[in-house]
Amino acid sequence: MNRPAHGTLHHVEIWVPDLDRALVSLGWMLETLGYSVSQSWATGRSWRLGPTYLVLERSPALTADRHDRLRPGLNHLAFHVENAATVENLTAAAAGHGWRLMFPDLHPHAGGDRHYAAYLENDDGFEVELVAMSQPDASAEGPPMT
């Protein structure tokens, strides 16, 4: 593995209220995006892609049984995906793995006209954003909206 660039994200640890449920939705999403399981234990699992890894763990120190993305803390994770077709394919498949499309009336431009993405939420209130690296209309000018 190449040495990561200074400042690159090392890892993210997410405490979940139900590990089995998290494996169905978040675990499926990570593996579909190319992450590989790197560690597994009774109350958690980690996935790695390059130098970065993500951990899902059911900690006994939890103080709530649902994530609230509107409170201080993690709002969502955003992932690059190859293109708009991949965003749509993943969005369709995600419905069978505990995810629902957020902002369906604005999809796929809920983040703005030049931002092609799907915003998904699982049963525990975690949100992921799948962002197309290449836009269907490559002639659009200006920075993407987030």
Side-chain angles (χ1 to χ4, degrees), residues 16-28 56 65-66 97-99 122-125:
V16 297
D18 184 297
L19 182 61
D20 291 333
R21 197 166 52 233
L23 295 176
V24 170
S25 62
L26 287 161
W28 171 84
L56 301 179
D65 63 357
R66 180 172 165 78
H97 297 276
W99 295 98
N122 74 4
D123 291 337
D124 289 320

Side-chain angles (χ1 to χ4, degrees), residues 83-102:
N83 52 38
T86 305
V87 168
E88 296 307 324
N89 290 337
L90 285 170
T91 300
H97 297 276
W99 295 98
R100 70 169 184 80
L101 181 64
M102 302 170 71

Side-chain angles (χ1 to χ4, degrees), residues 13 71 76 83 92 114 139:
E13 183 169 332
R71 289 186 178 172
H76 69 281
N83 52 38
R114 295 179 307 248
S139 66

Side-chain angles (χ1 to χ4, degrees), residues 21-136:
R21 197 166 52 233
L23 295 176
V24 170
S25 62
L26 287 161
W28 171 84
M29 182 66 70
L30 292 171
E31 290 176 23
T32 301
L33 293 171
Y35 287 76
S36 299
V37 173
S38 64
Q39 293 181 315
S40 185
W41 59 101
T43 59
R45 190 155 307 156
S46 68
W47 290 260
R48 179 177 291 280
L49 181 61
T52 305
Y53 68 94
L54 280 89
V55 177
L56 301 179
E57 183 172 21
R58 171 61 171 102
S59 170
L62 283 175
T63 61
D65 63 357
R66 180 172 165 78
H67 175 72
D68 185 345
R69 65 184 186 78
L70 300 178
R71 289 186 178 172
L74 178 72
N75 178 267
H76 69 281
L77 296 172
F79 297 96
H80 290 287
V81 299
E82 192 60 37
N83 52 38
T86 305
V87 168
E88 296 307 324
N89 290 337
L90 285 170
T91 300
H97 297 276
W99 295 98
R100 70 169 184 80
L101 181 64
M102 302 170 71
F103 324 114
D105 54 327
L106 300 173
H107 177 76
H109 298 290
D113 291 341
R114 295 179 307 248
H115 187 71
Y116 196 104
Y119 298 82
L120 305 171
E121 183 179 34
N122 74 4
D123 291 337
D124 289 320
F126 290 100
E127 178 187 345
V128 298
E129 179 181 352
L130 304 174
V131 182
M133 291 187 288
S134 61
Q135 304 297 314

Side-chain angles (χ1 to χ4, degrees), residues 1-5 8-10 38 48-53:
M1 172 172 43
N2 293 334
R3 185 171 190 249
T8 301
L9 189 63
H10 185 267
S38 64
R48 179 177 291 280
L49 181 61
T52 305
Y53 68 94

